[in-house]
Amino acid sequence: MNTEKDFSPLTPNIVRALNDKLYEKRKVAALEIEKLVREFVAQNSSAQIRHVIQILATEFALSQHPHSRKGGLIGLAACSIALGKDSGLYLKELIDPVLTCFNDSDSRLRYYACEALYNIVKVARGAVLPHFNVLFDGLSKLAADPDPNVKSGSELLDRLLKDIVTESNKFDLVAFVPLLRERIYSNNQYARQFIISWIHVLESVPDINLLDYLPEFLDGLFQILGDSSKEIRRMCEVVLGEFLKEIKKNPSSVKFAEMANILVIHSNDLIQLTSMTWMREFIQLAGRVVLPYSSGILTAVLPCLSYDDRKKNTKEAASACNHSLMKLVTPEDDEDDEESQTKSSPPGDGTPSKKEGDLNDGGPIRSYLRISTGSLIYSVLCSSDRSAVTLDLDGIVQVLDRHLHDSSTGMMTRIAVLKWLYHLYIKTPRKMFKHTDSLFPMLLKTLSDESDEVILKDLEVLAEIASSPAGQTDTSGSCDSSDSKTELYIPGGVRDGQPVTDLSPSTPSMNSYFYKFMINLLKRFSLERKLLEMRGAFIIRQLCLLLHAENIFHSMADILLKEEDLKFASTMVQTLNTILLTSAELFQLRNQLKDLRTQESCALFCCLYRSWCHNPVATVSLCFLTQNYRHAYDLIQKFGDLEVTVDFLMEVDKLVQLIESPIFTYLRLQLLDVEHNPYLIKALYGLLMLLPQSQAFQLLSHRLSCVPNPALMRTVEDPKAPVKDKRLAQPYIDYSELLQHFDRVQSKHLEVRHQRAGRSEHPDRKL
């Protein structure tokens, strides 16, 4: 530095001492400057004061010489001390050169800068608040300083500044929030610690309402919550906990819509529990305000439902979120936009309701938030009008469908997805049926799931689709798919050129998806024989509980009548027959068939019979169930013309076992009335003659040996009655036509078996 330069009013001795390398000499110079400035204050000479500060700043603090910079810093601090309460008039000139030295490469100089600024701030107190942002910016950099002395000095200054902010009621929060939003994304742990400490302080000041600006930096807080340092995470959890308490106390002033979108993007294991806890509170406090964000919330919540006990708390919080969100969907969400606007408009107003985006006179207030989770990106529209909340149904269905398609989705998540679909079909059927064609294939595929509980929920959804009145009204569009050509018509009309009378009027009407469902279910059983074998009976029994059992059997019988794969048709009939005869769910249907006294029951019997003809033994068992004993005997007489295989004999064996079961108790009791049931006894003897000498043979033979002598059973009052089968007088059934139909079906089966046998004998022959 040029010592010959004029630095007046600073004396040459002061200038030399400020440039000295020894701290003690610079301190002496600072005392002289303090004395000089006090004199100028007494003289009210602000021009001289500014001149001294300018010299110390430009010629010393910003000098190229390190000792000169140190002298300038201590000199500026001395000026501030001398000015006292008047230092506020010169704070910009005092602070700026000191903050510049915060970036100096010399750690000692950075420390002296901290010391100088501490003295300046200590004197000025509340007067420094207009300069808070620059002070905060400088301190945030020093918080990550590698030198421990500098860091220690910055912490002293930081505590002083916090005390000043806490004591004052003039803190400019609006000006500070943009800086906070910028600095909160720092990756340095010390800087993060510094940021968190300041948020905690500001949040605790009664006069500072930081909650209003929480959406501005909430995302940054959650990022800090995922820090690897336990101490930083603990500090962040404390701050977030305080904010959540405030939110619960003052929910009316919280900007839920702006923050809901932030929560769903944080799926890191370290922060997931906190985000789920916040989301749970948001849904419970904000209610329908969060509905536009449902797709994003479900994207975050659904995977958590399959967590194991290691993440039990997160799973429970996610489950609470899911349950609360589901409750927000109401039948009003099924209304069209025009309907909802009409309802929201006051009667007699005459003015059209404002559309979204025209809610404020100054123009639309909209902000587009993007949620990025995995491969999905959702654009969610936030509106300032909380009353005009609409359900993001398309987004929800997209998320649910994605989780169903994902093979890695956990069982509890799949169950939750199916519960959501069922809930949406119940609450918003009209809108949901627009998505049915896209959902239907995956719902059918889910029937192959490994979990019985998943299959049960899936069947509930399919049953609701098949029986909902909303599906009945949709006669165009959704049902005119590629499967419409094979869609089952309502039984009736003409079959094989003959009028069909086997429509059951007692069957409740189903929508077009019911028949589509039955067709596709049978197709799936045909393609996946293991599914039919392992879960077929379970699925059909559950459907009989969810839908009308008569509908299920009537429609399946009609579909199987057109089945080209005769082997599958026989297997399917055998499965349906076993269910019909043994399942408790079919008790009412069995009673309906047991007494063919009405046209409806006769029509059902004829419909089942035509398909049951694919399996001769099942046909006989159906005749036993309906007490058509003469017809059963006529059928057994035809068994001599059929190919008797091991499988055939096994089916007869099973039928004998069924005859001994509680289902056929009435049949066994009818053996007491020999005179009126001769064809029952003949039919049973026919089965006995078909069986080889086996356990079933012994069982049936023993039963028939118990049949009493007719003469012993005849009472005095009863005249000798002629032999008569009570089914012969049934006017609604043409038994001869049914026998002809049985012959035609069995001829087809025989032809197919011969073709297969020919292919097996000549494997190289081209068909």
Side-chain angles (χ1 to χ4, degrees), residues 144-209:
D145 198 286
D147 187 272
N149 292 325
V150 176
K151 194 179 296 182
S152 177
S154 68
E155 288 173 357
L156 287 173
L157 177 57
D158 181 52
R159 284 198 291 270
L160 174 62
L161 202 55
K162 285 174 181 173
D163 289 341
I164 294 171
V165 170
T166 305
E167 296 168 359
S168 175
N169 58 358
K170 297 180 180 179
F171 182 74
D172 190 355
L173 186 60
V174 176
F176 171 64
V177 167
L179 179 62
L180 175 62
R181 185 176 59 231
E182 177 188 342
R183 286 285 181 266
I184 201 168
Y185 288 104
S186 172
N187 291 323
N188 185 280
Q189 290 188 345
Y190 295 107
R192 284 182 164 184
Q193 208 164 0
F194 171 78
I195 293 290
I196 290 293
S197 68
W198 265 102
I199 294 175
H200 192 212
V201 168
L202 294 175
E203 199 276 332
S204 64
V205 178
D207 294 333
I208 298 177
N209 189 8

Side-chain angles (χ1 to χ4, degrees), residues 668-736:
R668 298 194 300 273
L669 289 174
Q670 287 173 351
L671 291 173
L672 295 173
D673 189 1
V674 179
E675 292 188 354
H676 290 86
N677 295 288
Y679 287 104
L680 170 59
I681 298 173
K682 286 185 176 184
L684 293 177
Y685 269 109
L687 291 178
L688 186 67
M689 295 302 106
L690 286 171
L691 286 168
Q693 296 286 332
S694 61
Q695 185 178 358
F697 177 90
Q698 299 296 333
L699 188 66
L700 184 55
S701 176
H702 182 68
R703 173 63 65 185
L704 289 172
S705 68
C706 297
V707 175
N709 187 325
L712 296 176
M713 299 301 293
R714 190 176 301 127
T715 61
V716 177
E717 292 81 6
D718 291 337
K720 187 174 181 180
V723 175
K724 183 179 180 182
D725 191 313
K726 61 181 178 179
R727 294 299 178 207
L728 293 178
Q730 179 54 258
Y732 304 117
I733 302 176
D734 184 351
Y735 287 100
S736 61

Side-chain angles (χ1 to χ4, degrees), residues 22 74 103 178 201 230 314 383 447 511 557 615 664 737 753:
L22 295 176
I74 197 171
N103 299 318
V201 168
K230 288 185 177 180
T314 303
S383 172
L447 291 174
N511 64 36
N615 189 295
F664 283 110
E737 192 276 330
R753 280 196 292 271

Side-chain angles (χ1 to χ4, degrees), residues 554-619:
H554 201 295
S555 59
M556 284 191 171
D558 203 82
I559 297 167
L560 289 171
L561 194 59
K562 307 174 185 66
E563 178 60 50
E564 296 179 357
D565 186 346
L566 299 183
K567 186 176 181 180
F568 166 70
S570 178
T571 304
M572 194 66 222
V573 165
Q574 183 182 358
T575 302
L576 290 171
N577 187 64
T578 303
I579 296 169
L580 176 62
L581 294 178
T582 61
S583 298
E585 295 86 355
L586 277 296
F587 175 78
Q588 185 176 354
L589 186 60
R590 283 196 296 271
N591 281 346
Q592 184 178 345
L593 288 168
K594 192 182 296 182
D595 296 312
L596 300 179
R597 296 176 180 176
T598 64
Q599 183 178 359
E600 291 80 11
S601 60
C602 292
L604 177 60
F605 166 72
C606 291
C607 178
L608 297 181
Y609 181 94
R610 294 178 188 280
S611 290
W612 261 233
C613 286
H614 284 296
N615 189 295
V617 179
T619 311

Side-chain angles (χ1 to χ4, degrees), residues 383-672:
S383 172
S384 60
D385 186 2
R386 296 188 176 187
S387 62
V389 172
T390 56
L391 179 67
D392 179 23
L393 187 62
D394 293 347
I396 292 175
V397 172
Q398 184 184 7
V399 173
L400 299 176
D401 188 48
R402 179 174 67 89
H403 279 87
L404 274 184
H405 277 84
D406 189 353
S407 59
S408 64
T409 301
M411 182 189 74
M412 297 307 298
T413 299
R414 295 198 300 277
I415 291 172
V417 167
L418 293 168
K419 284 182 177 179
W420 259 103
L421 289 173
Y422 181 76
H423 184 71
L424 291 174
Y425 272 109
I426 293 293
K427 299 296 183 182
T428 60
R430 287 197 303 168
K431 290 183 177 179
M432 275 302 294
F433 264 91
K434 297 175 183 177
H435 300 278
T436 300
D437 278 348
S438 62
L439 292 169
F440 202 70
M442 195 61 215
L443 290 171
L444 286 169
K445 186 177 179 181
T446 306
L447 291 174
S448 303
D449 197 275
E450 296 177 355
S451 166
D452 285 352
E453 194 171 353
V454 171
I455 294 176
L456 281 174
K457 293 301 176 187
D458 189 37
L459 289 172
E460 286 182 12
V461 178
L462 287 167
E464 182 59 31
I465 291 174
S467 60
S468 174
Q472 188 70 45
T473 58
D474 190 6
T475 57
S476 63
S478 64
C479 290
D480 293 337
S481 63
S482 58
D483 290 336
S484 61
K485 294 181 180 179
T486 59
E487 186 175 305
L488 179 69
Y489 58 88
I490 298 176
V494 177
R495 181 189 291 127
D496 297 333
Q498 299 296 325
V500 176
T501 60
D502 54 359
L503 170 63
S504 177
S506 65
T507 306
S509 61
M510 295 283 139
N511 64 36
S512 54
Y513 276 101
F514 171 79
Y515 302 103
K516 184 177 181 181
F517 175 30
M518 293 297 106
I519 289 172
N520 282 279
L521 179 60
L522 289 176
K523 281 182 180 178
R524 193 151 198 88
F525 284 150
S526 178
L527 295 173
E528 294 185 41
R529 297 300 172 88
K530 188 176 180 181
L531 175 64
L532 174 59
E533 180 184 346
M534 303 298 293
R535 299 285 182 81
F538 171 73
I539 290 172
I540 294 171
R541 283 168 48 211
Q542 293 304 318
L543 283 176
C544 289
L545 289 175
L546 295 167
L547 299 169
H548 200 279
E550 184 179 344
N551 273 359
I552 302 295
F553 274 76
H554 201 295
S555 59
M556 284 191 171
D558 203 82
I559 297 167
L560 289 171
L561 194 59
K562 307 174 185 66
E563 178 60 50
E564 296 179 357
D565 186 346
L566 299 183
K567 186 176 181 180
F568 166 70
S570 178
T571 304
M572 194 66 222
V573 165
Q574 183 182 358
T575 302
L576 290 171
N577 187 64
T578 303
I579 296 169
L580 176 62
L581 294 178
T582 61
S583 298
E585 295 86 355
L586 277 296
F587 175 78
Q588 185 176 354
L589 186 60
R590 283 196 296 271
N591 281 346
Q592 184 178 345
L593 288 168
K594 192 182 296 182
D595 296 312
L596 300 179
R597 296 176 180 176
T598 64
Q599 183 178 359
E600 291 80 11
S601 60
C602 292
L604 177 60
F605 166 72
C606 291
C607 178
L608 297 181
Y609 181 94
R610 294 178 188 280
S611 290
W612 261 233
C613 286
H614 284 296
N615 189 295
V617 179
T619 311
V620 170
S621 65
L622 179 64
C623 290
F624 281 160
L625 175 66
T626 56
Q627 304 180 65
N628 281 295
Y629 302 134
R630 179 167 183 172
H631 194 72
Y633 171 72
D634 292 339
L635 287 173
I636 293 172
Q637 289 288 91
K638 292 179 177 291
F639 283 9
D641 300 328
L642 302 179
E643 182 181 358
V644 178
T645 63
V646 175
D647 290 339
F648 178 87
L649 292 175
M650 289 179 63
E651 290 182 37
V652 176
D653 191 297
K654 291 178 182 178
L655 177 56
V656 172
Q657 302 292 334
L658 281 173
I659 290 172
E660 294 297 320
S661 70
I663 296 295
F664 283 110
T665 299
Y666 67 92
L667 180 147
R668 298 194 300 273
L669 289 174
Q670 287 173 351
L671 291 173
L672 295 173

